[in-house]
Amino acid sequence: MSLTASEQYCLDEGRRHDHDRYLTALFLPAERRAAALALYAFNLEIARTREIVSEPLLGQIRLQWWRETIEGLFAGNPREHPVVDALGAAIRGHDLSRERLDGLIDAREADLDDGPPPDVESLEAYAAETSGELSALVMQTLVRGGETSITAARGVGTAWAIIGLARAVGFHAQTQRIYIPEDLLSEYEVERRRLFDLKPSAGLNRSIEAMVTRAETFIADARSSSPDIPKSARRGLLLASLADRHIAAIRKAGFDPFAIPAAQASPVLRLAWAAWRGRY
């Protein structure tokens, strides 16, 4: 696969900072791979906004820069940036939706608020509007007008985000951030002070179990659509296979977010076998 300098930059960014998505992109058809990697690199740019700014206002400025950048791309006035260059090629080559790209940026404003989502429905909406829509955009590069495929991709991406937030509870707690919904914190009587001190509790474990159960439902729904999804497009859903591994690790840890082991190297051969069989 011959890559431009911008596409190589996106590949390198994904390999370093979003390895699971990068790995699944390698199993996509060669003529679609660069577009997926560009989308993943764009997502990295906006997703890490909260981590690299010192205050919310700076985060808003960064997100606004990307809004104006997307506007420029669709107006034919691209800014000089390797991700912008690669994303522009993906937009032109696959008629990607500006509404979905803008929505990804808008959804990241929630990251600038350290408080938890009010309820499970809000958590799911955040997961769908970020990772879910990202997966839907990647699927848009694989199929045209395949609403069933896009819906399945959105479900897998939503589940991926929920699982990722469950696994990152300890990381977020160190900066007093919470993504566990308020209604779960209340229902299971999770003490925030104890959570911020990185101390486990039965209630915390039950709230993580509730989140993981919802993620499993999204994955099961996506898999139920498999017969109606072209075999080649199912490669855009391989994150579901990797999600299974993370869920198993969380269960093995008794849903204690502080006991979840660091992610191991992704099973490349297992992914290859799933891709060849049209499974996810």
Side-chain angles (χ1 to χ4, degrees):
M1 177 183 177
S2 178
L3 300 177
T4 66
S6 296
E7 290 168 347
Q8 184 65 49
Y9 176 88
C10 292
L11 183 149
D12 292 339
E13 284 291 283
R15 182 164 48 201
R16 283 194 296 265
H17 304 296
D18 195 357
H19 195 266
D20 282 339
R21 283 195 179 100
Y22 153 78
L23 194 60
T24 61
L26 299 184
F27 292 97
L28 298 180
E31 67 277 11
R32 304 287 190 267
R33 201 172 302 146
L37 290 168
L39 285 164
Y40 291 153
F42 165 63
N43 179 65
L44 277 170
E45 290 289 335
I46 57 175
R48 56 190 175 196
T49 294
R50 176 61 179 79
E51 313 303 332
I52 64 177
V53 300
S54 57
E55 56 183 272
L57 178 59
L58 296 177
Q60 292 284 4
I61 292 171
R62 179 180 173 86
L63 293 177
Q64 183 59 30
W65 187 91
W66 277 104
R67 287 190 188 94
E68 293 170 0
T69 297
I70 296 299
E71 181 180 3
L73 273 174
F74 280 87
N77 300 307
R79 285 171 163 161
E80 291 189 14
H81 189 289
V83 173
V84 176
D85 184 44
L87 185 61
I91 290 170
R92 293 188 300 272
H94 303 285
D95 193 26
L96 298 182
S97 165
R98 177 179 174 181
E99 181 180 1
R100 280 200 167 110
L101 293 168
D102 286 338
L104 285 177
I105 300 171
D106 293 342
R108 287 297 171 182
E109 289 191 6
D111 293 337
L112 304 177
D113 182 358
D114 293 342
D119 47 44
V120 172
E121 291 75 17
S122 297
L123 170 69
E124 292 175 358
Y126 167 80
E129 291 163 5
T130 53
S131 180
E133 285 302 310
L134 175 63
S135 292
L137 278 162
V138 172
M139 184 58 73
Q140 193 178 338
T141 72
L142 300 174
V143 294
R144 291 296 178 96
E147 195 55 42
T148 298
S149 301
I150 290 173
T151 297
R154 188 183 296 110
V156 169
T158 299
W160 185 255
I162 294 172
I163 293 165
L165 292 172
R167 294 176 61 233
V169 164
F171 170 76
H172 290 137
Q174 293 178 57
T175 53
Q176 301 196 349
R177 294 162 62 194
I178 306 176
Y179 283 90
I180 302 170
E182 187 74 62
D183 59 352
L184 293 183
L185 295 173
S186 177
E187 179 180 356
Y188 298 121
E189 300 179 340
V190 179
E191 298 180 30
R192 297 194 190 199
R193 184 68 268 162
R194 188 177 181 86
L195 171 58
F196 292 150
D197 288 340
L198 308 184
K199 294 180 180 178
S201 69
L204 176 59
N205 295 359
R206 292 181 69 188
S207 68
I208 297 301
E209 182 177 8
M211 290 172 63
V212 170
T213 298
R214 286 300 302 147
E216 289 179 306
T217 299
F218 281 107
I219 292 173
D221 288 346
R223 285 178 170 146
S224 70
S225 302
S226 179
D228 300 318
I229 298 174
K231 186 175 180 180
S232 60
R234 294 175 202 165
R235 296 190 173 204
L237 304 169
L238 285 174
L239 275 179
S241 295
L242 297 182
D244 289 340
R245 295 180 69 244
H246 291 313
I247 290 172
I250 294 171
R251 287 189 178 280
K252 188 174 182 179
F255 299 100
D256 177 356
F258 306 129
I260 300 171
Q264 302 297 312
S266 297
V268 179
L269 290 179
R270 184 180 300 177
L271 273 182
W273 178 242
W276 183 76
R277 298 179 68 197
R279 301 289 181 86
Y280 55 90

